[in-house]
Amino acid sequence: MAEIDHSRVLASPKFRQLVTERTRFGWILSGVMLGIYLVFILLVAFAHGLMATKVGSGVTSLGIVLGLVVIVAAFVLTGIYVARANGRFDDLTRDLNRELGR
């Protein structure tokens, strides 16, 4: 019985659409985060003067601010994924369950 259900799910166009969309979106967000991180690391490695630039009249440098931007970007991208998962991906899952009679 479980094998029949398994093969029905794998054969479903809704399931393939869900997997394709979720995988593509995950790779896009991963690429964006990797790009942000790579730019930050390259700036740390090769733009010492720029990263050491003081922000305001305190002791905070641009490197610290950009490091915080990298961390915040990770949270924002996670929030974007969660919003998409709770919206589009849940809708596709609901449609798949209806199609399979669950």
Side-chain angles (χ1 to χ4, degrees):
M1 184 75 163
E3 288 182 24
I4 295 170
D5 287 343
H6 181 73
S7 60
R8 278 184 61 207
V9 170
L10 292 178
S12 169
K14 294 274 186 200
F15 177 73
R16 281 184 263 142
Q17 181 184 8
L18 173 64
V19 169
T20 301
E21 284 187 30
R22 194 181 65 190
T23 301
R24 184 181 315 125
F25 193 65
W27 278 110
I28 288 169
L29 291 181
S30 296
V32 168
M33 188 66 226
L34 182 63
I36 291 169
Y37 185 71
L38 181 63
V39 167
F40 177 72
I41 293 301
L42 290 173
L43 286 172
V44 167
F46 299 111
H48 301 287
L50 175 67
M51 297 298 270
T53 304
K54 300 293 181 200
V55 176
S57 61
V59 295
T60 305
S61 67
L62 183 61
I64 296 295
V65 172
L66 291 179
L68 290 173
V69 167
V70 170
I71 294 168
V72 169
F75 281 101
V76 168
L77 291 176
T78 300
I80 291 169
Y81 183 84
V82 168
R84 182 77 172 261
N86 288 338
R88 176 73 180 147
F89 301 152
D90 279 356
D91 292 343
L92 288 172
T93 301
R94 215 173 293 112
D95 292 345
L96 176 63
N97 282 331
R98 268 192 228 113
E99 179 183 294
L100 297 173
R102 294 181 183 237

